[in-house]
């Protein structure tokens, strides 16, 4: 089955009042090859930056995302359309997608609230989520080392494509760790 590793960067926690700032996505074939990567920055003018929670503003300023948003002309609706076009161009008709990421309920809630194609009835998305955050917590609960020989978890740049890649890598390490020798 195809995998769609996805991460959103947003203006906060509430999709009803907030905005999606950035979308990062990686498509992986059933043979585990990366078929494509997509990164989209949505418009968010400088004059709105002072309305952000200070922690969110500091995080997205440090990553350079707010500067990128200030010069973008891409709307959330256009990002949704580009995501749909990108997926349907790469994934063969009739194939299904497993959504991957970390904290997927957050991203899925935002996309559903914004009525994005990927969460609609005609989407190829299944609900068999690969959530690296859940895998991380399961390892911790079992008293097993999460990421032996490397860092304690994914590197968070708070840039969507980097984070999607980190979550995919983290999931793949967990699966490799669980496979019988």
């Amino acid at each position: 089955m195809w995998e769609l590793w996805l991460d959103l960067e947003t203006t906060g926690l509430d999709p009803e009042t907030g905005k999606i700032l950035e979308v990062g996505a990686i498509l992986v074939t059933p043979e585990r090859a990366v078929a494509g990567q997509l990164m989209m920055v949505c418009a968010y003018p400088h004059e709105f930056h002072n309305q952000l929670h200070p922690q969110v503003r500091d995080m997205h300023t440090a990553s350079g995302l707010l500067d990128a948003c200030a010069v973008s002309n891409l709307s959330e609706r256009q990002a949704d359309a580009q995501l749909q076009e990108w997926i349907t161009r790469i994934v063969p008709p009739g194939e299904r997608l497993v959504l991957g990421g970390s904290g997927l309920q957050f991203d899925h809630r935002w996309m559903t609230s914004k009525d994005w194609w990927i969460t609609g009835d005609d989407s190829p998305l299944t609900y068999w989520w690969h959530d690296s955050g859940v895998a991380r917590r399961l390892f911790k609960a079992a008293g097993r080392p999460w990421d032996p020989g490397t860092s304690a978890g994914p590197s968070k740049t708070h840039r969507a494509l980097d984070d999607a890649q980190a979550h995919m890598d983290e999931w793949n390490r967990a699966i490799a760790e669980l496979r019988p020798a």
Side-chain angles (χ1 to χ4, degrees), residues 39-170:
M39 191 269 304
M40 298 177 288
V41 175
C42 296
Y44 193 73
H46 275 298
E47 57 264 24
F48 296 113
H49 293 188
N50 65 348
Q51 296 174 10
L52 295 172
H53 184 281
Q55 182 180 358
V56 173
R57 185 176 55 245
D58 292 348
M59 175 178 64
H60 291 322
T61 297
S63 73
L65 179 55
L66 287 181
D67 286 339
C69 290
V71 297
S72 174
N73 294 318
L74 187 71
S75 71
E76 288 179 341
R77 186 56 54 208
Q78 290 168 321
D80 173 39
Q82 286 185 20
L83 181 65
Q84 179 181 3
E85 186 279 327
W86 178 71
I87 290 171
T88 56
R89 181 172 29 89
I90 295 172
V91 178
E95 292 288 328
R96 303 295 290 169
L97 295 170
V98 174
L99 183 61
S102 182
L104 288 171
Q105 69 281 4
F106 177 86
D107 294 339
H108 190 267
R109 184 170 52 94
W110 273 77
M111 292 183 297
T112 300
S113 172
K114 305 291 184 181
D115 197 29
W116 276 32
W117 166 81
I118 196 67
T119 61
D121 292 339
D122 60 341
S123 165
L125 189 64
T126 68
Y127 291 97
W128 304 344
W129 293 353
H130 293 343
D131 193 321
S132 63
V134 171
R136 186 180 326 116
R137 290 185 290 281
L138 286 172
F139 269 74
K140 186 175 181 179
R144 292 188 59 184
W146 168 239
D147 194 8
T150 62
S151 66
S155 164
K156 290 290 285 184
T157 64
H158 297 291
R159 291 304 298 259
L161 187 57
D162 292 344
D163 291 353
Q165 180 71 53
H167 301 316
M168 183 177 76
D169 292 346
E170 186 177 32

